[in-house]
Short mmCIF file of all heavy atoms in Angstrom, two decimals:
data_model
loop_
_atom_site.label_atom_id
_atom_site.label_comp_id
_atom_site.label_asym_id
_atom_site.label_seq_id
_atom_site.Cartn_x
_atom_site.Cartn_y
_atom_site.Cartn_z
N ILE F 186 7.68 6.68 2.04
CA ILE F 186 6.61 7.72 1.81
C ILE F 186 6.76 8.17 0.40
O ILE F 186 7.85 8.53 -0.07
CB ILE F 186 6.81 8.86 2.79
CG1 ILE F 186 6.59 8.43 4.27
CG2 ILE F 186 5.91 10.00 2.50
CD1 ILE F 186 6.87 9.48 5.33
N GLU F 187 5.56 8.06 -0.26
CA GLU F 187 5.59 8.48 -1.73
C GLU F 187 4.91 9.82 -1.93
O GLU F 187 5.22 10.53 -2.89
CB GLU F 187 4.82 7.43 -2.57
CG GLU F 187 5.55 6.09 -2.52
CD GLU F 187 4.73 5.13 -3.42
OE1 GLU F 187 4.62 5.34 -4.64
OE2 GLU F 187 4.36 4.11 -2.90
N TYR F 188 4.03 10.22 -1.00
CA TYR F 188 3.24 11.43 -1.17
C TYR F 188 3.42 12.18 0.12
O TYR F 188 3.27 11.67 1.23
CB TYR F 188 1.83 11.18 -1.51
CG TYR F 188 1.64 10.34 -2.72
CD1 TYR F 188 1.45 8.94 -2.67
CD2 TYR F 188 1.69 10.92 -4.08
CE1 TYR F 188 1.37 8.19 -3.73
CE2 TYR F 188 1.57 10.10 -5.14
CZ TYR F 188 1.45 8.73 -5.03
OH TYR F 188 1.30 7.95 -6.14
N VAL F 189 3.40 13.55 0.07
CA VAL F 189 3.35 14.45 1.18
C VAL F 189 2.29 15.52 0.90
O VAL F 189 2.35 16.17 -0.13
CB VAL F 189 4.71 15.07 1.49
CG1 VAL F 189 4.58 16.20 2.63
CG2 VAL F 189 5.76 14.15 1.84
N ILE F 190 1.38 15.62 1.84
CA ILE F 190 0.39 16.67 1.84
C ILE F 190 0.59 17.53 3.11
O ILE F 190 0.40 17.08 4.15
CB ILE F 190 -1.07 16.16 1.67
CG1 ILE F 190 -1.21 15.23 0.50
CG2 ILE F 190 -2.05 17.33 1.73
CD1 ILE F 190 -2.66 14.50 0.49
N HIS F 191 1.10 18.73 2.81
CA HIS F 191 1.50 19.55 3.88
C HIS F 191 0.38 20.66 4.20
O HIS F 191 0.16 21.56 3.49
CB HIS F 191 2.76 20.34 3.41
CG HIS F 191 3.24 21.32 4.44
ND1 HIS F 191 3.07 21.27 5.82
CD2 HIS F 191 3.83 22.56 4.15
CE1 HIS F 191 3.64 22.31 6.32
NE2 HIS F 191 4.09 23.14 5.44
N CYS F 192 -0.32 20.34 5.28
CA CYS F 192 -1.41 21.25 5.83
C CYS F 192 -1.11 21.90 7.10
O CYS F 192 -1.89 22.71 7.59
CB CYS F 192 -2.65 20.40 6.00
SG CYS F 192 -3.31 19.38 4.60
N ALA F 193 0.05 21.58 7.62
CA ALA F 193 0.39 22.11 8.95
C ALA F 193 0.75 23.55 8.86
O ALA F 193 1.39 24.05 7.91
CB ALA F 193 1.60 21.40 9.58
N ALA F 194 0.33 24.38 9.94
CA ALA F 194 0.60 25.73 10.02
C ALA F 194 0.49 26.19 11.42
O ALA F 194 -0.37 25.67 12.19
CB ALA F 194 -0.25 26.62 9.12
N HIS F 195 1.36 27.05 11.90
CA HIS F 195 1.20 27.71 13.19
C HIS F 195 0.42 28.97 12.93
O HIS F 195 0.67 29.70 12.03
CB HIS F 195 2.62 28.03 13.75
CG HIS F 195 3.38 26.87 14.18
ND1 HIS F 195 4.20 26.94 15.25
CD2 HIS F 195 3.36 25.52 13.77
CE1 HIS F 195 4.75 25.74 15.44
NE2 HIS F 195 4.24 24.88 14.53
N TRP F 196 -0.50 29.24 13.84
CA TRP F 196 -1.31 30.40 13.78
C TRP F 196 -1.39 31.11 15.14
O TRP F 196 -1.66 30.51 16.15
CB TRP F 196 -2.73 30.05 13.21
CG TRP F 196 -3.72 31.16 13.29
CD1 TRP F 196 -4.77 31.34 14.10
CD2 TRP F 196 -3.60 32.42 12.42
NE1 TRP F 196 -5.37 32.54 13.77
CE2 TRP F 196 -4.65 33.24 12.75
CE3 TRP F 196 -2.70 32.86 11.52
CZ2 TRP F 196 -4.99 34.43 12.19
CZ3 TRP F 196 -2.96 34.03 10.91
CH2 TRP F 196 -4.11 34.78 11.26
N ASN F 197 -1.18 32.35 15.24
CA ASN F 197 -1.11 33.09 16.41
C ASN F 197 -2.08 34.31 16.30
O ASN F 197 -1.72 35.30 16.76
CB ASN F 197 0.32 33.48 16.75
CG ASN F 197 0.43 34.01 18.23
OD1 ASN F 197 -0.41 33.68 19.03
ND2 ASN F 197 1.45 34.72 18.44
N GLY F 198 -3.22 34.11 15.68
CA GLY F 198 -4.07 35.29 15.52
C GLY F 198 -3.36 36.36 14.68
O GLY F 198 -2.66 35.95 13.77
N PHE F 199 -3.54 37.48 14.96
CA PHE F 199 -2.84 38.58 14.22
C PHE F 199 -1.69 39.16 15.08
O PHE F 199 -1.21 40.25 14.71
CB PHE F 199 -3.88 39.68 13.81
CG PHE F 199 -4.78 39.21 12.79
CD1 PHE F 199 -6.04 38.80 13.16
CD2 PHE F 199 -4.42 39.05 11.47
CE1 PHE F 199 -6.96 38.41 12.17
CE2 PHE F 199 -5.26 38.69 10.46
CZ PHE F 199 -6.56 38.31 10.81
N ASN F 200 -1.32 38.43 16.08
CA ASN F 200 -0.23 38.82 16.89
C ASN F 200 1.14 38.31 16.39
O ASN F 200 1.28 37.16 15.97
CB ASN F 200 -0.38 38.37 18.36
CG ASN F 200 -1.62 38.89 19.04
OD1 ASN F 200 -2.01 40.02 18.76
ND2 ASN F 200 -2.34 38.00 19.68
N ASN F 201 2.15 39.17 16.37
CA ASN F 201 3.42 38.77 15.88
C ASN F 201 3.48 38.07 14.60
O ASN F 201 3.94 36.95 14.55
CB ASN F 201 4.14 37.89 17.11
CG ASN F 201 5.65 38.14 16.98
OD1 ASN F 201 6.17 38.58 16.04
ND2 ASN F 201 6.30 37.72 18.03
N ASN F 202 3.05 38.72 13.55
CA ASN F 202 3.00 38.05 12.24
C ASN F 202 4.37 37.61 11.75
O ASN F 202 4.50 36.68 10.96
CB ASN F 202 2.44 39.03 11.20
CG ASN F 202 0.91 39.25 11.46
OD1 ASN F 202 0.29 38.45 12.02
ND2 ASN F 202 0.49 40.45 11.08
N PHE F 203 5.42 38.25 12.14
CA PHE F 203 6.78 37.85 11.68
C PHE F 203 7.06 36.43 12.16
O PHE F 203 7.50 35.61 11.40
CB PHE F 203 7.88 38.79 12.17
CG PHE F 203 9.21 38.35 11.78
CD1 PHE F 203 9.68 38.53 10.53
CD2 PHE F 203 10.10 37.72 12.69
CE1 PHE F 203 10.99 38.11 10.22
CE2 PHE F 203 11.33 37.22 12.45
CZ PHE F 203 11.82 37.43 11.12
N ASP F 204 6.85 36.17 13.49
CA ASP F 204 7.08 34.78 14.02
C ASP F 204 6.21 33.75 13.32
O ASP F 204 6.73 32.67 13.11
CB ASP F 204 6.79 34.77 15.50
CG ASP F 204 7.92 35.42 16.30
OD1 ASP F 204 9.02 35.69 15.74
OD2 ASP F 204 7.66 35.72 17.48
N VAL F 205 4.99 34.15 13.07
CA VAL F 205 4.10 33.16 12.47
C VAL F 205 4.64 32.80 11.01
O VAL F 205 4.75 31.61 10.62
CB VAL F 205 2.62 33.70 12.27
CG1 VAL F 205 1.74 32.84 11.41
CG2 VAL F 205 2.01 33.83 13.71
N ALA F 206 4.94 33.89 10.18
CA ALA F 206 5.49 33.68 8.93
C ALA F 206 6.82 32.87 8.91
O ALA F 206 7.02 31.97 8.16
CB ALA F 206 5.74 34.99 8.21
N TYR F 207 7.78 33.23 9.95
CA TYR F 207 8.91 32.52 10.02
C TYR F 207 8.81 31.12 10.38
O TYR F 207 9.44 30.19 9.67
CB TYR F 207 9.82 33.21 11.14
CG TYR F 207 11.13 32.54 11.20
CD1 TYR F 207 12.22 32.81 10.40
CD2 TYR F 207 11.38 31.54 12.14
CE1 TYR F 207 13.41 32.17 10.54
CE2 TYR F 207 12.55 30.84 12.38
CZ TYR F 207 13.62 31.13 11.48
OH TYR F 207 14.71 30.57 11.68
N ASN F 208 7.94 30.70 11.27
CA ASN F 208 7.67 29.27 11.70
C ASN F 208 7.15 28.54 10.60
O ASN F 208 7.50 27.33 10.30
CB ASN F 208 6.77 29.25 13.04
CG ASN F 208 7.46 29.68 14.22
OD1 ASN F 208 8.77 29.65 14.31
ND2 ASN F 208 6.82 30.09 15.16
N ASN F 209 6.17 29.08 9.88
CA ASN F 209 5.51 28.39 8.76
C ASN F 209 6.51 28.21 7.61
O ASN F 209 6.47 27.12 6.96
CB ASN F 209 4.19 29.10 8.29
CG ASN F 209 3.16 28.94 9.36
OD1 ASN F 209 2.95 27.96 10.01
ND2 ASN F 209 2.38 29.99 9.47
N SER F 210 7.34 29.08 7.35
CA SER F 210 8.38 28.89 6.35
C SER F 210 9.42 27.91 6.73
O SER F 210 9.75 27.04 5.90
CB SER F 210 9.17 30.27 6.09
OG SER F 210 8.19 31.26 5.57
N ALA F 211 9.66 27.87 7.99
CA ALA F 211 10.73 26.94 8.48
C ALA F 211 10.16 25.45 8.42
O ALA F 211 10.85 24.55 8.01
CB ALA F 211 11.12 27.18 9.90
N ILE F 212 8.82 25.32 8.78
CA ILE F 212 8.16 23.99 8.68
C ILE F 212 8.21 23.52 7.20
O ILE F 212 8.62 22.38 6.91
CB ILE F 212 6.72 24.07 9.18
CG1 ILE F 212 6.66 24.29 10.71
CG2 ILE F 212 5.91 22.88 8.76
CD1 ILE F 212 5.32 24.64 11.28
N THR F 213 7.73 24.39 6.32
CA THR F 213 7.77 24.04 4.89
C THR F 213 9.11 23.63 4.30
O THR F 213 9.29 22.63 3.66
CB THR F 213 7.09 25.10 4.05
OG1 THR F 213 5.83 25.38 4.56
CG2 THR F 213 7.00 24.82 2.58
N LEU F 214 10.12 24.48 4.69
CA LEU F 214 11.55 24.18 4.16
C LEU F 214 12.02 22.89 4.78
O LEU F 214 12.70 22.08 4.04
CB LEU F 214 12.41 25.33 4.53
CG LEU F 214 12.25 26.64 3.76
CD1 LEU F 214 13.17 27.73 4.21
CD2 LEU F 214 12.56 26.36 2.21
N ASN F 215 11.72 22.60 6.04
CA ASN F 215 12.15 21.36 6.65
C ASN F 215 11.55 20.08 5.87
O ASN F 215 12.14 19.11 5.64
CB ASN F 215 11.86 21.35 8.09
CG ASN F 215 12.81 22.19 8.94
OD1 ASN F 215 13.90 22.40 8.46
ND2 ASN F 215 12.36 22.68 10.10
N ILE F 216 10.19 20.31 5.57
CA ILE F 216 9.57 19.20 4.94
C ILE F 216 10.12 18.97 3.51
O ILE F 216 10.44 17.84 3.11
CB ILE F 216 8.04 19.45 4.83
CG1 ILE F 216 7.46 19.39 6.27
CG2 ILE F 216 7.34 18.50 3.90
CD1 ILE F 216 5.97 19.87 6.37
N LEU F 217 10.29 20.09 2.82
CA LEU F 217 10.88 19.96 1.43
C LEU F 217 12.25 19.34 1.41
O LEU F 217 12.63 18.68 0.46
CB LEU F 217 10.85 21.33 0.75
CG LEU F 217 9.58 22.00 0.38
CD1 LEU F 217 9.74 23.34 -0.12
CD2 LEU F 217 8.99 21.06 -0.72
N ASN F 218 13.12 19.66 2.49
CA ASN F 218 14.48 19.04 2.57
C ASN F 218 14.39 17.54 2.68
O ASN F 218 15.42 16.95 2.41
CB ASN F 218 15.16 19.70 3.75
CG ASN F 218 15.68 21.09 3.39
OD1 ASN F 218 15.93 21.40 2.30
ND2 ASN F 218 15.83 21.94 4.40
N HIS F 219 13.28 17.03 3.05
CA HIS F 219 13.16 15.57 3.29
C HIS F 219 12.36 14.95 2.04
O HIS F 219 12.16 13.75 2.15
CB HIS F 219 12.46 15.24 4.58
CG HIS F 219 13.29 15.51 5.77
ND1 HIS F 219 13.36 16.75 6.39
CD2 HIS F 219 14.14 14.70 6.51
CE1 HIS F 219 14.27 16.66 7.40
NE2 HIS F 219 14.70 15.53 7.45
N CYS F 220 12.05 15.69 1.11
CA CYS F 220 11.24 15.17 -0.02
C CYS F 220 11.94 14.77 -1.31
O CYS F 220 11.36 14.81 -2.33
CB CYS F 220 10.05 16.17 -0.26
SG CYS F 220 8.86 16.30 1.06
N ASN F 221 13.19 14.47 -1.20
CA ASN F 221 13.95 14.11 -2.41
C ASN F 221 13.51 12.90 -3.15
O ASN F 221 13.60 12.87 -4.41
CB ASN F 221 15.46 13.95 -2.00
CG ASN F 221 16.14 15.19 -1.50
OD1 ASN F 221 15.61 16.30 -1.88
ND2 ASN F 221 17.07 15.02 -0.66
#
Side-chain angles (χ1 to χ4, degrees):
I186 292 172
E187 296 183 59
Y188 305 96
V189 174
I190 303 174
H191 174 36
C192 303
H195 286 213
W196 175 246
N197 193 18
F199 292 102
N200 301 320
N201 207 345
N202 289 333
F203 177 79
D204 285 343
V205 170
Y207 178 83
N208 287 338
N209 288 324
S210 296
I212 291 169
T213 302
L214 288 174
N215 285 335
I216 292 169
L217 287 171
N218 284 331
H219 288 86
C220 289
N221 294 332

